[in-house]
């Protein structure tokens, strides 16, 4: 029976060509948009994890409530012992202390007077030590635009756009003006070892990256850090595993822990990322539903047109005694074949476009000049295992739904009128 239906579709392209094209186009768009949304989600999670949230983050309760203000007066103390404990208790993760801070970068002239200055956001990470992988985590090696990575005490990196705006070159001195943990004025001189370009507007506007020990000395934060970030070694965030680790960490805290007690928060529960990821999952579902409905309507109309064209054929089969149910099931069988063929073709085309967008991406930097979201200027699609099957959901559902509705007319045919219909 399957071979019979297949031969019918092949020998009569008018019965299959338009539906196959319709399904292929719809499936291709579904696959491309699904992969595009997955790419946006992946870029947001990756950038946020690298620079702000980690996969897990340990801070004090008080710091977590005001984190946007970089409240280093509420920072963690005894960080070295805390990090050792975390590495021992959860060896499957990479743990790194960080200090985020704000300040003014002042560029002096030859006389020591201010030549130019501008506000900056700073990251203090372990650039010179050997116990963390912060250089790899922040992708500093590939982000270097000019110069090199800091190799000794007192060296720092500036974002390339920021350095060009200030007119500071490699090897020149930049002065950080900020506030210590106790609120007093803090100043520190750094030699600009290199500049970086992350491709993230929010960071490229004005960022300084220095070794954590230099910043601890400048901000009077000995053995302190604003946060300790934890990362899965493969750089993939797994919410279930991260939530389990956070729950285990909190079970060990005493019930009387105060506002300066350490708390562990997962990536999903920071910066509204959970809501954002939920919205994108919802958009994916809406996307599938829309394409299913649109293609169903188109295929329903195609089925009605085919039914009119095949009116005599169906009547003849009924007149020969073929049951209505068998004819109806045969039409559904044809729709399944069309759905599979169109879905396969559309998936191949969609994956081709998606792989291209995954490699080259689309530069939207001109649209993100004032962006405050941690998202790369070059947006890329991301092909996932589900990309290979997601298109079959609307492809098969739409063809079956359209044929089911269009085929109802078979049951409305009156057998008593068949002879008159055939004669006419």
């Amino acid at each position: 029976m399957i071979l019979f239906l297949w031969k019918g579709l092949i020998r009569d392209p008018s019965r299959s060509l338009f539906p196959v094209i319709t399904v292929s186009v719809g499936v291709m768009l579904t696959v491309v948009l699904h992969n595009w949304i997955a790419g946006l989600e992946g870029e947001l999670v990756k950038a946020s994890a690298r620079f702000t949230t980690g996969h897990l983050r340990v801070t004090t309760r008080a710091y977590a409530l005001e984190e946007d203000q970089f409240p280093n007066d509420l920072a963690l103390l005894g960080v070295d012992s805390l990090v050792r404990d975390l590495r021992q208790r959860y060896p499957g993760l990479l743990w790194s202390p960080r200090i985020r801070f704000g300040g003014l970068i002042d560029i002096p002239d030859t006389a020591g007077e201010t030549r130019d200055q501008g506000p900056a956001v700073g990251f203090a990470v372990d650039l010179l030590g050997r116990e963390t992988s912060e250089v790899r985590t922040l992708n500093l090696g590939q982000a270097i635009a000019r110069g090199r990575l800091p190799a000794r005490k007192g060296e720092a990196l500036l974002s390339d756009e920021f350095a060009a705006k200030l007119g500071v070159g490699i090897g020149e001195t930049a002065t950080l003006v900020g506030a210590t943990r106790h609120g007093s004025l803090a100043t520190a001189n750094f030699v600009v070892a290199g500049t970086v370009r992350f491709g993230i507007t929010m960071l490229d506007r004005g960022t300084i990256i220095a070794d954590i020990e230099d910043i601890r000395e400048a901000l009077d934060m000995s053995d302190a850090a604003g946060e300790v970030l934890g990362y899965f070694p493969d750089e993939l965030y797994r919410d279930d595993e991260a939530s389990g680790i956070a729950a285990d960490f909190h079970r060990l805290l005493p019930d009387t822990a105060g506002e300066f007690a350490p708390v562990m928060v997962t990536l999903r529960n920071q910066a509204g990322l959970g809501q954002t990821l939920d919205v994108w999952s919802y958009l994916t579902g809406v996307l599938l539903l829309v394409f299913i409905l649109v293609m169903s309507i188109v295929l329903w109309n195609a089925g009605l047109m085919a039914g009119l064209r095949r009116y005599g054929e169906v009547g003849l089969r009924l007149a020969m005694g073929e049951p209505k149910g068998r004819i109806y099931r045969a039409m559904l069988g044809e729709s399944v074949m069309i759905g599979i063929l169109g879905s396969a073709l559309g998936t191949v085309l969609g994956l081709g476009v998606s792989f291209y967008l995954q490699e080259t991406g689309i530069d939207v930097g001109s649209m993100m000049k004032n962006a405050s979201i941690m998202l790369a200027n070059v947006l890329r699609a991301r092909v996932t295992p589900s990309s290979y099957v997601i298109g079959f959901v609307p492809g098969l559902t739409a063809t079956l739904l359209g044929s089911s509705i269009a085929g109802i007319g078979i049951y409305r045919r009156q057998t008593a009128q068949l002879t008159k219909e055939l004669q006419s």
Side-chain angles (χ1 to χ4, degrees):
M1 184 64 180
I2 295 178
L3 182 60
F4 173 76
L5 294 176
W6 176 251
K7 287 182 177 180
L9 292 175
I10 295 299
R11 293 173 180 175
D12 187 3
S14 62
R15 290 164 55 181
S16 57
L17 183 60
F18 177 73
V20 167
I21 293 176
T22 301
V23 173
S24 298
V25 172
V27 168
M28 181 187 72
L29 292 176
T30 301
V31 172
V32 171
L33 289 178
H34 170 268
N35 293 337
W36 184 253
I37 292 175
L40 292 179
E41 179 181 341
E43 288 293 336
L44 178 62
V45 169
K46 184 189 299 182
S48 297
R50 281 179 174 175
F51 296 101
T52 58
T53 66
H55 295 147
L56 287 157
R57 184 171 66 161
V58 180
T59 64
T60 64
R61 296 182 190 276
Y63 186 100
L65 295 175
E66 303 179 25
E67 59 179 289
D68 293 337
Q69 302 176 28
F70 308 147
N72 288 319
D73 55 319
L74 306 175
L76 292 162
L77 301 178
V79 169
D80 291 343
S81 61
L82 174 61
V83 171
R84 283 195 299 269
D85 184 53
L86 288 171
R87 289 172 180 168
Q88 182 177 2
R89 190 181 304 171
Y90 310 111
L93 280 80
L94 304 174
W95 297 97
S96 304
R98 281 193 194 174
I99 300 174
R100 286 193 292 162
F101 58 94
L104 192 68
I105 301 300
D106 183 275
I107 308 301
D109 57 19
T110 55
E113 300 295 332
T114 298
R115 186 178 72 198
D116 205 345
Q117 58 182 207
V121 173
F123 294 88
V125 300
D126 187 3
L127 293 177
L128 306 180
R130 296 295 180 266
E131 296 184 0
T132 64
S133 57
E134 288 285 64
V135 172
R136 181 175 64 86
T137 299
L138 296 176
N139 200 28
L140 293 179
Q142 295 184 14
I144 288 290
R146 292 181 291 148
R148 55 172 175 79
L149 291 173
R152 60 182 66 90
K153 180 179 173 63
E155 293 184 336
L157 299 171
L158 292 179
S159 57
D160 192 62
E161 181 181 332
F162 187 47
K165 180 179 179 181
L166 296 178
V168 60
I170 305 301
E172 292 191 64
T173 299
T175 301
L176 170 66
V177 181
T180 69
R181 184 167 66 91
H182 303 291
S184 58
L185 180 66
T187 60
N189 292 327
F190 292 93
V191 175
V192 179
T195 64
V196 289
R197 186 183 299 114
F198 294 109
I200 300 175
T201 301
M202 181 179 176
L203 297 176
D204 290 340
R205 279 199 298 255
T207 299
I208 178 173
I209 301 176
D211 185 68
I212 191 169
E213 293 302 329
D214 288 335
I215 298 301
R216 279 175 170 171
E217 182 178 335
L219 304 186
D220 195 14
M221 295 181 64
S222 177
D223 196 18
E227 55 201 18
V228 178
L229 302 184
Y231 295 91
F232 293 109
D234 57 5
E235 299 184 355
L236 297 177
Y237 175 67
R238 293 180 285 279
D239 188 59
D240 291 341
E241 188 175 347
S243 298
I245 293 173
D248 178 73
F249 180 84
H250 290 139
R251 277 195 296 268
L252 301 176
L253 288 178
D255 296 334
T256 58
E259 64 177 354
F260 288 97
V263 294
M264 183 180 290
V265 187
T266 65
L267 177 147
R268 185 177 177 84
N269 293 323
Q270 300 181 58
L273 285 174
Q275 294 87 334
T276 302
L277 297 179
D278 289 339
V279 167
W280 279 349
S281 297
Y282 173 77
L283 287 177
T284 302
V286 170
L287 170 69
L288 290 176
L289 180 61
V290 167
F291 276 107
I292 287 174
L293 292 177
V294 171
M295 286 195 295
S296 295
I297 293 173
V298 174
L299 293 171
W300 174 21
N301 290 328
L304 291 176
M305 294 175 62
L308 292 175
R309 189 182 59 80
R310 300 172 63 187
Y311 195 79
E313 173 196 337
V314 173
L316 181 61
R317 293 170 67 178
L318 289 173
M320 294 175 62
E322 188 172 356
K324 293 181 179 179
R326 183 176 179 181
I327 297 176
Y328 187 70
R329 288 192 295 273
M331 293 184 66
L332 293 182
E334 290 180 357
S335 70
V336 170
M337 292 182 180
I338 291 173
I340 292 175
L341 181 60
S343 297
L345 180 59
T347 298
V348 171
L349 294 175
L351 288 174
V353 175
S354 298
F355 276 118
Y356 173 77
L357 292 176
Q358 182 174 264
E359 291 299 320
T360 61
I362 298 177
D363 191 345
V364 295
S366 60
M367 302 169 56
M368 301 183 67
K369 291 181 179 179
N370 298 315
S372 59
I373 187 173
M374 196 69 69
L375 198 62
N377 293 339
V378 178
L379 302 181
R380 305 175 188 274
R382 181 164 66 97
V383 178
T384 64
S386 61
S387 304
Y388 294 87
V389 296
I390 192 72
F392 285 85
V393 176
L396 290 174
T397 303
T399 52
L400 275 174
L401 188 59
S403 296
S404 298
I405 298 173
I408 292 176
I410 293 175
Y411 288 94
R412 296 179 179 175
R413 301 291 293 277
Q414 298 295 325
T415 307
Q417 299 292 327
L418 289 176
T419 302
K420 183 177 179 180
E421 289 177 1
L422 292 174
Q423 287 177 347
S424 60

